[in-house]
Amino acid sequence: MIGMVTKEQILEALKEVSDPEIGMDVVNLGLIYDIQINGDRVYIKMTMTAPTCPVTPWILAEAQKVIENLEGVEAADIELVWDPPWNPSMMSPEARAELNL
């Protein structure tokens, strides 16, 4: 399908969305659990570092916005999940190094 967005493009776009409390993007934090593409719709399962994260609504809105701005994406549906619970081992090696973990 010509013009269909790829998972790699979605992940690159999501790197623009950072957790403002940590100062790290949601991809390198390991918050993106699953990406499914169905034509021009994108479905994402993601989590937060903690259920009490006060910026959760903002992060979800920003993630949806950057995905829907991609060429070939009509809509993005983001599901917030808590299973499995996030932990620092889910971070990229670069993120763990940057945060001295």
Side-chain angles (χ1 to χ4, degrees):
M1 181 178 215
I2 295 175
M4 193 161 114
V5 71
T6 66
K7 287 185 181 184
E8 292 76 19
Q9 290 171 312
I10 293 166
L11 288 170
E12 277 304 309
L14 287 170
K15 286 181 181 178
E16 298 175 22
V17 180
S18 291
D19 182 323
E21 293 185 314
I22 299 172
M24 180 74 53
D25 70 83
V26 297
V27 175
N28 281 297
L29 279 173
L31 302 181
I32 307 302
Y33 285 176
D34 188 39
I35 298 172
Q36 299 294 322
I37 303 165
N38 186 1
D40 62 0
R41 295 190 70 89
V42 175
Y43 302 91
I44 294 188
K45 286 187 181 180
M46 69 180 292
T47 195
M48 296 292 129
T49 57
T52 57
C53 179
V55 292
T56 295
W58 182 85
I59 291 173
L60 294 174
E62 286 297 301
Q64 183 171 12
K65 183 171 77 175
V66 299
I67 295 165
E68 289 179 347
N69 282 337
L70 290 171
E71 187 173 332
V73 176
E74 179 65 29
D77 296 315
I78 300 177
E79 180 182 357
L80 183 62
V81 298
W82 301 109
D83 188 32
W86 180 87
N87 67 72
S89 72
M90 296 172 164
M91 297 169 65
S92 70
E94 297 83 8
R96 285 196 300 273
E98 188 173 322
L99 298 175
N100 296 317
L101 297 176

